[in-house]
Amino acid sequence: MELHFYNTMGRSMQLFTPLHDHHVGMYCCGPTVYNYAHIGNLRAYLFDDVLRRTLEYFGYDVTHVMNITDVGHLTDDEDEGEDKMLKSSRETGKSVWDIAAFYTEAFFHDIDSLHIKRPSVSCKATDHIQDMIALIKRLEDRGFTYEAGGNIYFSIDKFPDYGKLSMRDKQNLHAGARIAVDSNKRNPHDFVLWFTHSKFEHHSMLWDSPWGRGYPGWHIECSAMSMKYLGEQFDIHCGGIDHIPIHHTNEIAQSEAATGRKWVNYWMHNEFLIIGKGKMAKSSGEFLTLSVLVDKGYTPLDYRYFSLGGHYRSQLQFSYESLDAARKARENLYDRTLRLKEDASPCPFSQLGDKARTYLGHYEAALAYDLNTPKALSEMWMLLKDKDISPREKLTVLYKMDEVFGFNLEQLEQASVEVLDDEIMDLIKEREKARERRDWAKADTLRDLLLQRGISIKDTPEGTKWTKNV
RNA sequence: GGCGCCGUACCCAAGUGGUAAGGGAGAGGUCUGCAAAACCUUCAUGCACCGGUUCGAAUCCGGUCGGCGCCUCCA
């Protein structure tokens, strides 16, 4: 099936044609590990995951590269900017290296719990300083750089296509409108490739370079590492929509200036998660992490389902009301899956009827046309609710669909019955006796009591069943 | 000030000019001692508003109002 993706470069839907037949190289901007990821950040990695799984679903072999930015970069906060890693270090009393290690681990814990597949390569910036230096040297040799005030800058005026991705030529930019312009810059939009003149004292992450002891600019790591693992040209580069005007624009400039040819064919950007009024941001107000949601009784996969319910290029409105809806839907999906498993086993694809095939076809078409996960979910529900389709067909198609949804439904098992403490068991038994006596008032009182203890009671023809509320 | 995106039911949300997907909530029903669960039925003559193009517009064009993002680190 042909895949179409919306390419930010050109702002249009385009047929996806990889550079190499069945192989796709994709680079996704990863986290800066100076704090926990918030659920808005995580939306981006869920998008990466859906993209990767979709490519794999359609038979591509994907090399998925993601950076771990463990070199400090500037904060915002209307001050003159502080190094994020240093700030975190100062606040916690840990070394910057410890901070990076700690939050890297936290990050992987989060994405694992969201069933986001681990990237083929996760590369730390600090492990690739020499690659960055080599790339800066290439730029220097080709005359794209200048030194000023101890720093090495990229000169955007030497690169005619600068700003193509962000359509900057159409913009009346007010550089420095909100932040003082670095007086060393020849053009306000020039950017630093290598710092030797740190404006921060006690900068503990420093490396030797041909330009002196210092540290790399923010953008160079993505160019250096992506080219190292994917080659000087590759298929897809993704990231948050916020990266279009600065980060990705600068990446393109330095990469294409260094190699003298086109770098990336498809640029894909996810929109933001909106909470209340405005995006979720580490620096302002609402900062919800996955563990906050877990503490409130949601599972990470509730958030995964929530995220799949909106298209990646649309802002998604977060509220607990809509997260509740997602949780309920996910629970219903699990219940249906378990009941189907009790009734049937999957059948070979060759035994699928026309209707089942139609739903699967629509699902595939939805994903193939710019990753329309809400439409894909809708097809799944119509499949599950269609009375003309047998349980075994449903299971077969459901498992297939789940390859992209990523709930691991095939491995799903009835929650193992935890051993309840004796007191609770006694209450359940007492209630059963009351019911035998037809002492309904007593039975209902006990049911309420159990509910307060987090135990839900269901009286079925096969006897009383209970489940523990999460 | 410039650039971009968006406005679909109570909430979230899809919609590629051909007559409004899906989920959750709600309502009614079957079943049940009552519940719960399950199942059945129901839930936008309407897509911010006003014009226009068209045989036909949520979709295209213009305007108005409202929201969001970016131009600064950021997913």
Side-chain angles (χ1 to χ4, degrees), chain A residues 143-392:
Chain A
F144 286 97
T145 68
Y146 62 90
E147 184 276 334
N151 298 330
I152 305 300
Y153 291 85
F154 182 92
S155 176
I156 67 164
D157 296 318
K158 301 266 175 63
F159 187 74
D161 268 350
Y162 186 80
K164 196 174 166 192
L165 183 71
S166 57
M167 307 196 295
R168 279 183 106 110
D169 52 323
K170 289 174 65 181
Q171 299 188 26
N172 181 8
L173 289 167
H174 282 215
R178 294 160 68 189
I179 188 167
V181 174
D182 180 345
S183 59
N184 290 321
K185 291 182 179 178
R186 294 178 185 170
N187 182 311
H189 297 295
D190 287 347
F191 53 93
V192 177
L193 296 167
W194 187 266
F195 290 93
T196 65
H197 181 71
S198 173
K199 46 181 155 181
F200 316 115
E201 293 176 19
H202 314 302
H203 205 290
S204 56
M205 285 183 162
L206 294 170
W207 294 268
D208 289 322
S209 83
W211 312 282
R213 195 163 169 77
Y215 58 99
W218 176 42
H219 314 294
I220 199 71
E221 67 177 64
C222 289
S223 294
M225 295 194 293
S226 64
M227 286 196 261
K228 174 169 183 170
Y229 294 106
L230 296 170
E232 292 189 355
Q233 285 185 304
F234 58 93
D235 300 296
I236 302 174
H237 194 313
C238 31
I241 195 169
D242 54 311
H243 280 144
I244 295 168
I246 303 288
H247 183 50
H248 288 166
T249 289
N250 291 348
E251 279 184 48
I252 291 168
Q254 66 197 5
S255 299
E256 299 192 351
T259 65
R261 58 178 178 159
K262 190 176 183 186
W263 181 43
V264 169
N265 281 333
Y266 300 90
W267 288 88
M268 297 176 69
H269 295 94
N270 64 280
E271 254 290 1
F272 279 115
L273 180 74
I274 301 298
I275 182 160
K277 291 202 168 215
K279 68 174 182 175
M280 185 168 290
K282 291 182 182 179
S283 56
S284 69
E286 297 281 2
F287 182 133
L288 287 176
T289 61
L290 202 56
S291 57
V292 168
L293 299 187
V294 169
D295 288 346
K296 287 179 184 284
Y298 300 93
T299 69
L301 294 178
D302 292 333
Y303 184 65
R304 184 179 177 98
Y305 189 100
F306 172 80
S307 180
L308 293 173
H311 190 263
Y312 78 93
R313 282 194 294 113
S314 297
Q315 291 178 345
L316 181 58
Q317 187 70 47
F318 178 86
S319 68
Y320 283 107
E321 188 182 3
S322 46
L323 186 61
D324 284 342
R327 167 166 61 183
K328 191 68 186 155
R330 202 219 87 235
E331 287 172 350
N332 288 341
L333 170 62
Y334 279 28
D335 284 348
R336 277 177 182 272
T337 303
L338 289 169
R339 276 185 277 127
L340 284 171
K341 284 187 182 201
E342 286 175 12
D343 293 351
S345 301
C347 63
F349 263 75
S350 57
Q351 291 178 20
L352 288 178
D354 288 345
K355 264 192 129 175
R357 286 173 191 275
T358 300
Y359 288 121
L360 187 59
H362 288 168
Y363 158 93
E364 291 177 353
L367 290 176
Y369 198 75
D370 205 32
L371 310 176
N372 194 333
T373 51
K375 180 76 159 52
L377 279 176
S378 152
E379 296 298 330
M380 180 195 75
W381 283 108
M382 287 195 283
L383 166 88
L384 290 173
K385 293 191 171 182
D386 195 316
K387 285 170 237 161
D388 298 335
I389 298 175
S390 68
R392 59 204 304 257

Side-chain angles (χ1 to χ4, degrees), chain A residues 61 66 72 93 96 265 272 282 323 334 340 373 389 403 420 430 433 435 463 466:
Chain A
D61 177 27
M66 186 182 70
V96 287
N265 281 333
F272 279 115
K282 291 182 182 179
L323 186 61
Y334 279 28
L340 284 171
T373 51
I389 298 175
E403 287 180 19
L420 297 178
E430 197 180 330
K433 284 177 187 161
R435 290 188 73 234
W466 53 266

Side-chain angles (χ1 to χ4, degrees), chain A residues 31 33-37 42 68 98-114 118 289-291:
Chain A
V33 284
Y34 67 97
N35 201 339
Y36 292 105
L42 294 172
I68 301 289
D98 288 344
I99 300 270
F102 178 83
Y103 289 112
T104 300
E105 192 177 327
F107 174 75
F108 280 115
H109 180 265
D110 280 349
I111 68 169
D112 286 348
S113 71
L114 287 165
R118 291 267 184 132
T289 61
L290 202 56
S291 57

